[in-house]
Amino acid sequence: MFKKNINPALDTESILKDAQRELALPSRRLFAKRALTLGGLSLLTGCNITDEPSVNRMLERISRMNDGVQGWLFDPKRLAPTYTQAEMTRPFPFNAFYAIEEVPEIDGADYRLEVSGLVSDKRSWTLQQLHKLPQNEQITRHICVEGWSAIGRWGGVPFSYFLKQIGADLSAKYIDFQCGDDYHTSIDMPTALHPQTQLTLTYDGQILPPKYGFPMKLRMPTKLGYKNPKHITSIEVTNTYPGGYWEDQGYNWFGGA
Amino acid sequence: MKTNIAQLPEAIVNQIKPPVVHPIWLRVTHWLNALAVIIMILSGWRIYNASPIFPFRIPSEWTLGGWLGGALQWHFAAMWLLFFNGLVYLLLNTGSGRLWKKFLPLRPTEVVQDFVKALRGKLQHDALDHYNAVQKLAYVSAILDLILLVVSGLAIWKSVQFPVLRELMGGFDNARVVHFCAMAFLVAFIVVHIIMVALVPRTLLAMLRGR
């Protein structure tokens, strides 16, 4: 008893008295009230922390580091799960940075896929030529950076096969894509060579519709949606970091699933 | 009287230097965890708003990041703090044996009894260095919830590269639901936790200075 009373840190009555006295104080009640409202959290989000240049640079640096981590985690032999036609999302959603009415109209007859950079054969390709190449098909899950996903069926040329046809330097770092809708993005070579990376010409057994990227898109189930370019007009193999439409605004470059 | 005199030196020593309730490593990891969790939740809410799983959105003034791209940057920056700080906490907690001493045994009957006492306002903080059964359950649940948040988060972030985690979560879409529910539980824990601290300010002091 004597010892217990001497030690205030462990004294029950002392603690209770402290609590009662503290709650009696107006400032303490205000603290409790303020701490318990989500309004207090607004102070954190409302301050200029997200506009501070040094903070933004830190976030960008970590994002670049995350590119490296994802590149390291990427297993070139690991396949994304595939699904049956019964599991397909119907209708498959349209998604772009513009409205569906603004989907570009590209004339298939006049279309030429331009090839440049570290490749030995720089001749352009017609759709007819592309359709003559070996074709495969996949039913995989498209994952949007926003979080939603949809399962679709895409057919086309294995991109690794196409890269070999044009004599691409497979030790190059990047492949850059320019698109007919003013979009552009780029990918890493290991992903380009992944067996499920596809130069897509058809959707659900039909010629690729405009809303899904006619005349050609790159389908990669190992990448998020914004890394899958549509209406591709040119492909460049390069060692110079090309960036991308969303990536230049702050999205993560690797964007892998 | 003589007996009291004999005990005096020990009593004086205890009074001069009260025992440390929370070691330094616990305090550091606690506050770093709090920082990481707040950033993850607020930026996560902004990411959720881009494609809500449920038919409601979270007011944008409560979120962090400004836009989806900014929120993603915050989320994937804070995740490293959460991950590695959590790892340090778990290693030190298990390595020092504190985890078992503080949180075990955890008996359902004791939880019920203490919970009933709490509702009746009869549950007391007997000592800062001793957790009642409800506290034990709350803190163990919070630890497990944070682990679930990390696992489900990895399943969403790297759904192709981590197929085991993906299937463990019931697939990609289900992982999002798990991630959201784990977040909701954590927010509820935080609210109750802060209420308790506000009611017993000495516990805040203990987590700041150790005793």
Side-chain angles (χ1 to χ4, degrees):
Chain A
M1 178 62 72
F2 178 81
K3 179 179 178 180
K4 183 176 180 182
N5 283 334
I6 285 293
N7 193 338
L10 304 177
D11 190 310
T12 301
E13 292 177 11
S14 175
I15 291 172
L16 286 177
K17 284 177 182 174
D18 283 348
Q20 288 161 7
R21 186 177 69 249
E22 293 287 351
L23 286 175
L25 294 175
S27 61
R28 178 57 66 188
R29 252 188 258 116
L30 183 60
F31 164 79
K33 188 174 184 180
R34 184 168 287 164
L36 299 179
T37 63
L38 280 175
L41 288 174
S42 297
L43 296 178
L44 174 62
T45 64
C47 72
N48 285 334
I49 189 168
T50 59
D51 295 325
E52 186 65 33
S54 60
V55 172
N56 283 330
R57 276 195 296 272
M58 175 199 72
L59 292 174
E60 280 170 19
R61 216 172 284 132
I62 297 177
S63 189
R64 293 284 82 77
M65 183 195 79
N66 284 341
D67 285 335
V69 172
Q70 292 181 79
W72 176 71
L73 285 174
F74 180 78
D75 181 347
K77 295 187 182 64
R78 189 180 296 284
L79 300 181
T82 56
Y83 301 87
T84 66
Q85 290 199 38
E87 292 171 292
M88 285 174 62
T89 307
R90 298 181 187 278
F92 190 86
F94 167 80
N95 185 254
F97 61 100
Y98 45 81
I100 194 167
E101 294 80 26
E102 298 168 54
V103 170
E105 294 288 338
I106 295 177
D107 188 335
D110 291 340
Y111 175 80
R112 295 291 183 275
L113 172 63
E114 303 297 332
V115 170
S116 65
L118 306 174
V119 302
S120 60
D121 186 346
K122 290 188 167 67
R123 288 177 294 174
S124 59
W125 292 68
T126 66
L127 280 181
Q128 193 177 13
Q129 287 173 302
L130 292 167
H131 274 282
K132 285 180 178 174
L133 296 178
Q135 311 275 315
N136 69 7
E137 188 176 87
Q138 61 177 259
I139 302 181
T140 50
R141 184 184 297 273
H142 170 99
I143 296 175
C144 180
V145 68
E146 295 175 331
W148 61 267
S149 70
I151 296 172
R153 176 184 169 207
W154 294 272
V157 183
F159 194 55
S160 57
Y161 179 88
F162 178 80
L163 287 177
K164 286 159 189 162
Q165 291 300 298
I166 63 177
D169 177 0
L170 302 186
S171 68
K173 289 182 181 176
Y174 311 108
I175 305 193
D176 184 43
F177 300 87
Q178 300 294 324
C179 306
D181 55 356
D182 291 326
Y183 195 79
H184 68 107
T185 189
S186 56
I187 62 175
D188 53 299
M189 182 59 75
T191 299
L193 297 173
H194 187 267
Q196 287 174 317
T197 298
Q198 182 195 79
L199 218 50
T200 299
L201 302 167
T202 71
Y203 182 78
D204 203 11
Q206 307 294 319
I207 292 296
L208 194 65
K211 65 179 178 178
Y212 295 154
F214 179 84
M216 181 181 57
K217 67 172 281 176
L218 197 73
R219 170 67 194 137
M220 293 174 285
T222 58
K223 294 285 204 191
L224 298 179
Y226 67 92
K227 300 299 298 187
N228 287 240
K230 298 181 288 190
H231 320 287
I232 298 169
T233 54
S234 76
I235 294 174
E236 179 186 6
V237 180
T238 181
N239 281 317
T240 304
Y241 176 74
Y245 178 89
W246 285 114
E247 297 87 322
D248 296 344
Q249 299 181 54
Y251 276 21
N252 180 249
W253 175 78
F254 195 91
Chain B
M1 178 61 72
K2 186 173 184 180
T3 304
N4 288 340
I5 293 174
Q7 288 182 334
L8 193 57
E10 184 181 2
I12 293 175
V13 169
N14 285 338
Q15 189 170 15
I16 293 172
K17 192 178 181 182
V20 171
V21 176
H22 301 310
I24 183 70
W25 61 264
L26 182 74
R27 283 175 270 147
V28 170
T29 54
H30 171 275
W31 290 113
L32 287 178
N33 190 67
L35 174 65
V37 159
I38 289 172
I39 294 177
M40 293 298 285
I41 290 173
L42 299 184
S43 59
W45 284 352
R46 182 64 190 81
I47 296 168
Y48 165 83
N49 279 354
S51 180
I53 306 170
F54 300 110
F56 63 84
R57 278 187 158 80
I58 294 164
S60 58
E61 56 265 27
W62 293 3
T63 68
L64 175 64
W67 71 300
L68 176 58
L72 288 165
Q73 282 186 340
W74 276 107
H75 209 66
F76 289 116
M79 78 170 179
W80 295 118
L81 180 58
L82 183 73
F83 183 82
F84 286 113
N85 181 67
L87 213 56
V88 169
Y89 170 84
L90 288 176
L91 289 175
L92 288 175
N93 223 350
T94 54
S96 65
R98 183 184 179 280
L99 189 73
W100 329 119
K101 283 184 290 184
K102 292 295 182 182
F103 298 136
L104 299 181
L106 184 52
R107 300 197 179 94
T109 52
E110 287 177 7
V111 172
V112 174
Q113 286 169 10
D114 284 353
F115 188 68
V116 170
K117 284 181 184 176
L119 291 181
R120 292 175 177 167
K122 295 183 183 299
L123 189 60
Q124 294 178 346
H125 271 292
D126 288 342
L128 290 181
D129 63 350
H130 173 77
Y131 293 139
N132 61 64
V134 175
Q135 278 179 301
K136 288 179 183 179
L137 178 63
Y139 292 147
V140 169
S141 298
I143 292 171
L144 294 176
D145 183 63
L146 282 165
I147 292 174
L148 182 60
L149 272 165
V150 170
V151 170
S152 58
L154 289 174
I156 295 167
W157 183 46
K158 289 282 136 205
S159 69
V160 173
Q161 304 307 319
F162 296 143
V164 172
L165 294 188
R166 182 185 72 234
E167 297 311 316
L168 202 60
M169 295 296 111
F172 174 82
D173 284 341
N174 206 62
R176 295 182 69 206
V177 177
V178 172
H179 202 56
F180 184 92
C181 292
M183 176 277 296
F185 178 88
L186 187 62
V187 170
F189 168 86
I190 291 171
V191 169
V192 174
H193 188 49
I194 290 177
I195 291 174
M196 292 298 107
V197 170
L199 290 176
V200 189
R202 184 173 292 275
T203 55
L204 175 58
L205 288 177
M207 188 53 79
L208 287 170
R209 65 183 182 182
R211 59 186 180 277

